[in-house]
Amino acid sequence: MTPQAFVEKWSDSRLKESAAAQSHFNDLCELLGEPTPTKADPDGEWYAFEKGALKTGGGDGWADVWKRGCFAWEYKSKGRDLNAALKQLKMYSGSLQNPPLLIVSDMEKIEIHTNWTNMVQETHVLGFDDLIDARRRSVLKRAFSESAVEELKPDRKRSDLTSDVAKEFVLLAQNLRERGHEPERVAHFVNRMVFCMFAEDVDLLPDKLFKRMLEASADDPDSFVENAQKLFKAMAQPNGRLDFKRIEWFNGGLFNDDDALPLTKADIKSALKAANQDWSNIDPSIMGTLLERGTDPSKRSQLGMHYTDPEKIMMIVNPVVVEPLLREWEGVKTSITDEIDKSRTSKSVGARTAAVNRATQLKTAFIVRLKNYRLLDPACGSGNFLYLGLKALKDIEHRVNTECETLGLARGFPVTGPENVLGIEINSFAAELARVSVWIGEIQWMREHGFDASRNPILKSLDNIKCHDALLDDDGTEYEWPEAEAIIGNPPFLGGKRLLGVLGEAYVAQLRATYEGQVPDFADLVCFWFEKCRKHVEDSKTLKCGLVSTNSIRGGASRVVLDQIQSTGQIFSAWSDEPWVLDGAAVRVSLICFGRQGESLQLDGMTVGQINSDLTSSISDVASAKPLEETRGVCFEGGQKHGAFDIPGDLARDLLQQPLNPNRLPNSLVVKPLVNAMDLVRRSSDTWIIDFGEKMDERAAALFEAPFAYISSKVKPYRMASSLASHRAYWWRHHRTRSELRAKLNEIERFIATPVVAKYRLFIWLPTSVWPSNLVDAIARDDDTTFGILHSRLHELWSLRLCTWLGVGNDPRYTPSTTFETFPFPEGLTPDIPAAAYAADPRAIAIAAAAKRLDELDFPRKSGGLF
């Protein structure tokens, strides 16, 4: 058929959809040189008319035409609304294997809507003139081939679009803050603008009113506040009107007043640039993160447009939320299917009706179960986990409705929504961003599945996302979380040693007192969330939990909370070591899902027989190894200075050459070589340190005149501004003076040192005149036998098995408690025995000889001049 003949035939056709659809499509196939469905696939397995379950009582399938990997196609009669046809395809696209194209036609016009996941959607519209044009006609022909259809795939990802619009609002927010506007007011105003741009692109705000308001203010910036207030006021109330246009009631707390901030001409230009983007395609799973970094002053250092991929978050959402519900649904569906089978085989009308009623009741009960399901994120940030959790619930409900429709039961309107998710977030702006992300995600999901957004108001109040400290109540007692079927989230990452400096002494003291006996001192902050989740499970307030932690939770004090989880429940799914993005930086994390018990155990994507608390699956749970009495008090962390006590070698040598001080003592007593981890694995940095020890008072320290004068200018201002009282009271002393280590080093002339974090484990001798930094572990032994045992392959394997892992490089971390004190030294050669006591032991002699030879062969490092 020629294009002209096709146009002549169908331009005058008055046939209705039911009579014309298949004939029209067959003619299109002839026009394009493509086989018809009945010729290409007589069985209709991959290319068919009327694809999908027939509606109850007969009628059309889910799509008039379907071709796997290419399209789903729906017809309407001439002059009918093609949006209704598109909504139908969206409603069933999942059951149609998510074709990349959704095509609708009224015989005169053909609309091709792209449907690739996570890509910005595009629409190609073809009329009769386009079908005559060979170049335009080729657009439609590409839709018929799985290989050619890829040429219609949009170039832009939704994440790219979201990053671009976020950048515009970052700039706008920064400008407003720099002009003196209060940060929270700026953030609230920016959130309103974000939602307005989204609302008008999904036709909730009519006639592009927000964009038109910006355009009207562009040449007269002084009018912006008045113009914006009129719009916001109309959106804040039922039956609002603007320019004779009825405005939907938005409310939800986001539009509870008409407050607006003044914008400059440049600000309005930037906002218009953002408004010209297609906001209907933004990605809520990353939008909140990107906007929070740009509009929250405390996040200014995190402006890189990096974010955690939704696929990573789903590694927690799937085992905690999706898989248990789908397992439950499969059982319910089996019962429904049995009842439907009975209805079809029963001979009496009453029996058939009763079976259908029982099937309907089973379906209704499960839908109500989903409606009542509550999902909590107790550190929800800007709402990424909540949005993806809600989307997962809505996807499950949609699947239930579609599969029940396949069995002949009526489809219901979605009942899951924002009320299903609960959040706790200490930052008020992040909490509001979480609400905006959930609102936008809800509206997008409804539109993408062929449903209209809710009304009156559009934005239901989201008081279920609370702005509160998740750990402590206002009176310092433990904050009570709401009951929820599942808990998921990404609690704050903060190492146990950093709590005081970041959170302050008073807060940390109260936190540790409140959770005494539950969370060990110096455990990472995230451990408090793990323990609260564990207790919720134990108290039957929650069934399953899934949290993200830095991978250091697998060892040290932090692992205690995983031991407790295993003692009262079970880790049923975990990823022990995964890349993650935290505040724009790459880190390594563990993803841990736990509850009373799991259907099966999954570790790093593999089914295993058991999961140990260090997130391994070996039968012998080495992670349960405890420190031994024979190894205590031998290995120590180096000192922690907290201030500019370190000095370059030239200055140190100058101080050493000065005459005796008024106390008739040399500076060499308080000026020492400093060794850090880099010094051990590379050449010496020639760094020294001023060290007044653990007991010297300020008057005695001041008698070492030049060293004291140096730290008075370099250290004292920093310490006096510290939140730690000990820093202010003893500003001339190091933060951790390590009294036990000092006492041990006073008894020997050399000690063994190893870097805390290193890709390859090594041990070296250092003189006791050297002071180790906090990233060096000092082993207070001076015998070659101990040196040799530490270098053994057995000890290396042990340290790698029990260590924690640190940083994006995922390097092993050696600690006194987990890797040294748990190691079983050979009987009779343990560190609690003086070396002289086993000097004649043949084992000790052989090990010492090998160790000496190893040290002698370490010529390249020694030649670097390390002390």
Side-chain angles (χ1 to χ4, degrees):
M1 177 176 283
T2 66
Q4 290 76 14
F6 179 88
V7 171
E8 183 178 347
K9 176 179 179 179
W10 289 102
S11 60
D12 294 331
S13 174
R14 293 293 180 266
L15 293 175
K16 292 186 178 180
E17 171 199 347
S18 58
Q22 293 189 16
S23 178
H24 182 273
F25 188 82
N26 286 336
D27 284 353
L28 267 181
C29 289
E30 186 177 350
L31 169 64
L32 298 171
E34 293 287 340
T36 64
T38 52
K39 288 182 180 179
D41 181 20
D43 296 329
E45 293 182 358
W46 54 270
Y47 190 14
F49 289 114
E50 294 295 346
K51 178 63 179 178
L54 295 179
K55 307 293 176 60
T56 302
D60 299 334
W62 291 333
D64 287 329
V65 197
W66 169 79
K67 189 172 186 179
R68 185 169 58 206
C70 293
F71 58 76
W73 192 308
E74 185 69 17
Y75 278 98
K76 289 295 179 186
S77 300
K78 285 185 179 181
R80 298 286 296 274
D81 182 11
L82 288 181
N83 283 333
L86 182 61
K87 284 183 178 181
Q88 180 172 329
L89 291 181
K90 287 180 175 180
M91 186 176 295
Y92 298 108
S93 63
S95 300
L96 296 168
Q97 301 178 30
N98 287 312
L101 301 177
L102 302 178
I103 305 177
V104 294
S105 175
D106 63 357
M107 269 72 81
E108 287 187 335
K109 181 172 63 174
I110 300 171
E111 293 182 2
I112 303 172
H113 299 265
T114 63
N115 189 45
W116 275 274
T117 303
N118 295 327
M119 304 301 293
V120 172
Q121 296 174 353
E122 295 177 354
T123 302
H124 305 272
V125 181
L126 303 176
F128 285 140
D129 291 343
D130 297 302
L131 294 178
I132 293 174
D133 184 329
R135 182 183 60 83
R136 292 287 294 151
R137 191 168 66 246
S138 68
V139 173
L140 182 59
K141 184 171 176 62
R142 293 187 196 112
F144 284 76
S145 166
E146 282 195 63
S147 57
V149 78
E150 287 294 317
E151 297 176 27
L152 297 178
K153 187 175 183 177
D155 296 328
R156 201 175 188 197
K157 295 180 179 179
R158 293 177 68 185
S159 56
D160 296 334
L161 167 67
T162 310
S163 294
D164 288 345
V165 298
K167 288 174 184 175
E168 295 300 325
F169 279 100
V170 166
L171 178 63
L172 178 62
Q174 289 176 355
N175 290 341
L176 289 170
R177 286 199 308 271
E178 287 170 1
R179 292 201 290 271
H181 295 293
E182 192 269 326
E184 286 198 6
R185 189 182 175 200
V186 169
H188 185 65
F189 174 64
V190 166
N191 273 341
R192 282 184 170 179
M193 295 184 72
V194 164
F195 194 85
C196 283
M197 292 185 185
F198 170 77
E200 67 179 11
D201 280 353
V202 296
D203 300 323
L204 292 175
L205 195 58
D207 295 342
K208 299 290 184 182
L209 277 176
F210 186 76
K211 182 180 177 183
R212 287 171 52 199
M213 183 270 291
L214 290 174
E215 291 172 338
S217 308
D219 293 327
D220 182 17
D222 291 341
S223 67
F224 172 80
V225 169
E226 181 181 357
N227 293 338
Q229 286 177 333
K230 289 179 181 178
L231 177 60
F232 294 160
K233 184 176 182 179
M235 297 172 73
Q237 57 190 350
N239 303 314
R241 290 188 175 274
L242 184 67
D243 294 340
F244 304 105
K245 290 285 183 182
R246 183 178 179 277
I247 307 297
E248 294 280 0
W249 181 25
F250 285 83
N251 197 28
L254 188 58
F255 295 94
N256 53 354
D257 57 37
D258 64 354
D259 186 45
L261 295 177
L263 298 185
T264 65
K265 196 167 188 176
D267 293 335
I268 295 173
K269 182 179 179 181
S270 178
L272 273 169
K273 183 178 178 182
N276 284 324
Q277 302 279 3
D278 182 3
W279 280 79
S280 66
N281 277 298
I282 60 172
D283 186 352
S285 69
I286 65 171
M287 182 196 68
T289 296
L290 300 184
L291 286 176
E292 184 183 6
R293 290 183 198 154
T295 51
D296 185 344
S298 68
K299 304 284 185 178
R300 286 291 294 272
S301 63
Q302 305 160 13
L303 290 182
M305 293 294 162
H306 303 286
Y307 50 84
T308 298
D309 290 330
E311 290 76 12
K312 286 287 185 186
I313 296 175
M314 292 305 295
M315 291 164 71
I316 280 181
V317 175
N318 278 328
V320 172
V321 179
V322 177
E323 292 164 11
L325 282 173
L326 287 183
R327 282 194 297 268
E328 186 177 337
W329 164 240
E330 286 303 317
V332 174
K333 187 172 73 170
T334 298
S335 298
I336 292 174
T337 302
D338 290 343
E339 295 296 341
I340 294 298
D341 289 342
K342 290 176 185 176
S343 74
R344 291 168 178 165
T345 58
S346 296
K347 295 182 179 180
S348 73
V349 174
R352 289 197 296 270
T353 301
V356 170
N357 288 341
R358 288 193 297 271
T360 301
Q361 290 169 1
L362 286 167
K363 177 216 172 184
T364 300
F366 193 80
I367 292 294
V368 170
R369 159 129 172 70
L370 294 178
K371 181 181 180 180
N372 294 330
Y373 190 100
R374 291 297 179 266
L375 177 64
L376 169 66
D377 183 347
C380 68
S382 51
N384 299 0
F385 275 74
L386 289 182
Y387 158 71
L388 288 170
L390 175 59
K391 181 178 181 297
L393 282 174
K394 295 185 75 68
D395 286 343
I396 292 170
E397 182 188 10
H398 189 67
R399 173 173 170 173
V400 169
N401 272 317
T402 301
E403 291 181 353
C404 283
E405 188 177 28
T406 301
L407 294 171
L409 300 181
R411 166 179 287 276
F413 191 82
V415 297
T416 53
E419 62 275 7
N420 285 96
V421 295
L422 314 174
I424 304 170
E425 170 54 43
I426 195 170
N427 181 294
S428 60
F429 172 51
E432 185 176 76
L433 264 177
R435 298 182 190 108
V436 172
S437 296
V438 169
W439 279 322
I440 288 178
E442 162 76 4
I443 293 169
Q444 279 187 334
W445 189 96
M446 296 291 281
R447 293 180 74 251
E448 289 168 1
H449 290 80
F451 300 101
D452 291 328
S454 64
R455 298 291 201 276
N456 298 317
I458 288 174
L459 304 181
K460 304 297 190 292
S461 177
L462 276 182
D463 293 335
N464 43 319
I465 298 179
K466 305 286 187 184
C467 183
H468 200 286
D469 186 321
L471 301 179
L472 295 179
D473 221 326
D474 295 338
D475 61 359
T477 58
E478 182 175 350
Y479 181 60
E480 185 67 26
W481 293 354
E483 292 189 16
E485 184 149 342
I487 299 175
I488 57 175
N490 181 16
F493 297 168
L494 189 61
K497 295 180 180 178
R498 297 185 58 214
L499 296 186
L500 288 173
V502 176
L503 302 179
E505 275 185 291
Y507 182 88
V508 173
Q510 183 63 63
L511 186 65
R512 287 176 173 165
T514 302
Y515 290 88
E516 186 177 4
Q518 301 176 59
V519 180
D521 288 349
F522 300 106
D524 292 351
L525 184 60
V526 71
C527 293
F528 290 88
W529 274 263
F530 274 86
E531 170 57 21
K532 282 182 71 68
C533 283
R534 183 205 66 79
K535 197 167 189 307
H536 250 237
V537 172
E538 186 180 32
D539 294 343
S540 300
K541 296 179 179 179
T542 293
L543 294 179
K544 288 179 169 58
C545 307
L547 300 178
V548 184
S549 168
T550 51
N551 59 7
S552 61
I553 198 170
R554 296 178 293 170
S558 296
R559 200 186 66 219
V560 171
V561 297
L562 299 188
D563 293 333
Q564 292 168 178
I565 286 170
Q566 293 289 67
S567 68
T568 59
Q570 183 182 56
I571 297 173
F572 61 83
S573 177
W575 296 83
S576 60
D577 177 40
E578 287 293 309
W580 193 266
V581 175
L582 170 66
D583 297 337
V587 297
R588 308 292 301 192
V589 301
S590 297
L591 313 178
I592 305 170
C593 306
F594 56 95
R596 286 197 176 275
Q597 63 180 35
E599 296 293 324
S600 64
L601 305 184
Q602 298 285 321
L603 179 63
D604 297 329
M606 304 290 290
T607 300
V608 295
Q610 69 180 55
I611 300 177
N612 303 319
S613 62
D614 65 343
L615 306 187
T616 63
S617 60
S618 59
I619 296 176
S620 57
D621 184 8
V622 180
S624 62
K626 305 297 183 185
L628 304 171
E629 287 298 325
E630 296 86 350
T631 54
R632 291 183 185 275
V634 177
C635 182
F636 304 90
E637 290 183 358
Q640 284 183 302
K641 51 191 181 63
H642 282 210
F645 291 90
D646 48 326
I647 58 177
D650 290 343
L651 176 57
R653 284 181 284 275
D654 180 63
L655 292 175
L656 293 176
Q657 292 170 7
Q658 291 185 11
L660 296 179
N661 291 289
N663 56 12
R664 305 192 64 79
L665 296 174
N667 285 336
S668 59
L669 293 179
V670 296
V671 178
K672 306 171 183 178
L674 176 69
V675 63
N676 59 33
M678 295 297 288
D679 292 325
L680 297 183
V681 299
R682 299 182 182 178
R683 291 180 178 271
S684 170
S685 61
D686 191 24
T687 301
W688 293 57
I689 193 164
I690 297 173
D691 175 18
F692 290 109
E694 56 178 316
K695 296 180 180 179
M696 191 179 300
D697 61 27
E698 185 174 4
R699 178 186 291 270
L703 294 177
F704 293 92
E705 292 181 328
F708 188 82
Y710 179 86
I711 65 165
S712 293
S713 63
K714 300 292 185 180
V715 176
K716 188 174 182 179
Y718 166 76
R719 283 296 195 85
M720 297 311 288
S722 172
S723 61
L724 298 181
S726 59
H727 279 186
R728 300 190 299 272
Y730 303 103
W731 63 265
W732 63 95
R733 296 180 192 167
H734 295 175
H735 174 65
R736 300 290 184 197
T737 57
R738 307 298 187 202
S739 58
E740 291 184 48
L741 172 60
R742 290 176 189 273
K744 289 287 187 180
L745 294 185
N746 285 336
E747 299 173 0
I748 53 181
E749 294 184 354
R750 66 176 184 175
F751 66 96
I752 303 168
T754 188
V756 173
V757 180
K759 192 173 293 294
Y760 305 103
R761 183 56 45 203
L762 75 156
F763 299 86
I764 68 168
W765 288 113
L766 289 178
T768 53
S769 58
V770 170
W771 185 243
S773 76
N774 64 300
L775 290 180
V776 172
D777 284 333
I779 298 154
R781 294 286 293 190
D782 63 354
D783 60 293
D784 290 308
T785 301
T786 300
F787 188 69
I789 292 171
L790 293 175
H791 269 109
S792 68
R793 178 66 172 158
L794 181 61
H795 180 259
E796 180 182 17
L797 292 174
W798 183 272
S799 68
L800 289 173
R801 181 64 178 78
L802 275 83
C803 72
T804 56
W805 304 82
L806 193 67
V808 67
N810 210 28
D811 296 324
R813 183 170 175 265
Y814 194 93
T815 65
S817 58
T818 57
T819 47
F820 182 87
E821 292 181 358
T822 60
F823 178 67
F825 278 72
E827 186 176 355
L829 304 180
T830 54
D832 62 328
I833 300 174
Y838 54 65
D841 189 316
R843 298 173 301 159
I845 295 171
I847 294 172
K852 286 181 181 179
R853 180 58 178 156
L854 177 64
D855 193 45
E856 290 168 358
L857 293 172
D858 193 14
F859 176 76
R861 182 191 58 79
K862 286 189 172 183
S863 65
L866 182 63
F867 310 113

